Amino acid sequence: MTGYAAVVRQPRATVTREELCALAPALARRGPHGTSVVADGAIGLVSALLDTGDRRLSPAWVHAGPFVVAGQVRVDAREQLVDALRGAGTNASVDDPDVRLFAQGWLAWGDETPARVLGDYSVVVHDRRSHATTLVRDPFGVRMLYYHKDAARLLASNTLAALLAAGVPRDLDEDAIADVVAEGYNEDPATTVFRAIRRVPPAHVLRIDAAGREAARRYWTLPAPPIDRSRDATEIVARFRAALEASVRDRIRCPSLTVFMSGGLDSTTLAAIAARELEHPARLVARTSHLPTLVPTDDTRRAELVAQSLGLGHVLSDVD
């Protein structure tokens, strides 16, 4: 999805278009459909648009009262969120861009917004009155959010390369690299392999005030409700099916869609639900990556049969 970067300087300083444009090439791979650059005093934003066909996903920033809200936002359960926002006194609409719905939430609920918004997001909220900036990442960390802070500026982006393009030091974090070598991943969700670049952990808001002081807060934890043994298997399956179908509906907003088809149970289930939900199943294409020489498998044939049965176009990608 759309790539973005934000630059925040001291209250009396100014972000220039030149420094923002220097970040654009690092974002280009995320968005081939146009670059937007906005310099607004002490804050500046640059984005590279990936146009998926749903204009509500396109904007990367919006003004909301004293706030400038920027980021990569996809909101689920939009109708329910709009109802809650209207109940809170906003003029939210189901036709609003997703980033505007998030911004309306911030006007209504402040930093409690992430706990009320379902979806995937990486967001920067800058308060022009207090000059505080809050960085927000979705509960499961689907969207990345990197940042660097020094005496002159705060940089934040969903693309690590954009921070490097801004001249952030490239000194390596040996502890993070040791984790990757030993465990296969960095065990600290707040660090990266570069010592000067950090991450906002999933399900966290990080507030950075005008003096540069940081305060992180976890806003959500995966619940562990008690097991309800009063329901029978039919009810359990029905409720799971309803939740899964709602999840798929939230993700089929664009005119053209792809499902990565392995031929297994998971991808087949998602493709079948999506095909049933779509008015025109031809909008959906199944794509299968295979290694016919190195790792031949019957899964490719199964994927072909599933796509044929559901009436989907099927694309085979030979990755040998």
Side-chain angles (χ1 to χ4, degrees):
M1 291 177 69
T2 295
Y4 78 95
V7 181
V8 181
R9 291 195 173 274
Q10 296 299 317
R12 288 177 292 278
T14 301
V15 176
T16 66
R17 287 184 61 86
E18 290 72 22
E19 66 180 307
L20 294 170
C21 289
L23 309 183
L27 299 172
R29 68 177 180 83
R30 284 190 173 271
H33 300 125
T35 300
S36 174
V37 178
V38 179
D40 184 9
I43 184 171
L45 306 165
V46 56
S47 63
L49 171 65
L50 175 62
D51 185 359
T52 62
D54 185 343
R55 294 294 180 180
R56 296 170 299 178
L57 293 171
S58 297
W61 68 279
V62 67
H63 287 285
F67 304 112
V68 179
V69 181
Q72 180 188 28
V73 183
R74 186 189 62 78
V75 172
D76 293 333
R78 299 178 93 258
E79 291 79 7
Q80 295 94 313
L81 177 60
V82 168
D83 288 344
L85 288 170
R86 287 175 175 171
T90 76
N91 62 349
S93 164
V94 291
D95 296 321
D96 283 342
D98 289 37
V99 69
R100 185 176 188 272
L101 291 179
F102 194 96
Q104 292 288 303
W106 205 269
L107 279 174
W109 305 311
D111 64 3
E112 295 298 322
T113 299
R116 295 171 173 258
V117 176
L118 295 175
D120 310 329
Y121 42 83
S122 161
V123 180
V124 177
V125 181
H126 179 70
D127 187 339
R128 287 177 293 183
R129 291 180 304 194
S130 67
H131 208 68
T133 302
T134 304
L135 309 180
V136 188
R137 193 167 169 209
D138 64 73
F140 290 102
V142 175
R143 306 298 173 200
M144 295 303 299
L145 183 48
Y146 304 100
Y147 72 100
H148 165 78
K149 177 174 62 69
D150 56 34
R153 62 184 178 172
L154 167 67
L155 300 164
S157 177
N158 63 346
T159 307
L160 188 146
L163 274 64
L164 296 176
V168 173
R170 294 172 177 252
D171 299 337
L172 298 178
D173 185 324
E174 294 181 355
D175 288 339
I177 292 174
D179 277 354
V180 173
V181 172
E183 303 295 338
Y185 66 99
N186 182 359
E187 293 185 306
D188 185 347
T191 66
T192 72
V193 295
F194 297 101
R195 193 177 302 141
I197 299 177
R198 297 182 63 80
R199 296 182 288 176
V200 178
H204 277 71
V205 293
L206 174 68
R207 187 178 188 274
I208 303 172
D209 67 18
R213 292 183 293 265
E214 299 183 18
R217 177 178 65 84
R218 187 180 189 101
Y219 65 82
W220 182 85
T221 301
L222 186 67
I227 297 175
D228 180 1
R229 301 188 184 279
S230 64
R231 296 177 295 171
D232 61 21
T234 301
E235 181 185 358
I236 293 171
V237 171
R239 294 183 67 171
F240 173 79
R241 181 188 295 274
L244 182 60
E245 290 174 346
S247 180
V248 172
R249 280 195 298 272
D250 280 332
R251 288 161 173 78
I252 58 174
R253 294 163 46 182
C254 302
S256 298
L257 301 154
T258 296
V259 58
F260 292 102
M261 177 67 71
S262 68
L265 181 62
D266 295 348
S267 58
T268 298
T269 300
L270 296 178
I273 294 173
R276 187 176 67 243
E277 293 287 341
L278 291 169
E279 184 177 351
H280 302 291
R283 290 168 49 194
L284 183 64
V285 173
R287 179 177 292 274
T288 302
S289 297
H290 70 141
L291 294 89
T293 302
L294 293 175
V295 189
T297 174
D298 292 336
D299 287 350
T300 301
R301 179 57 182 155
R302 283 193 283 268
E304 291 175 336
L305 290 172
V306 169
Q308 182 180 6
S309 175
L310 295 175
L312 311 181
H314 188 228
V315 177
L316 275 174
S317 297
D318 186 339
V319 294
D320 260 350

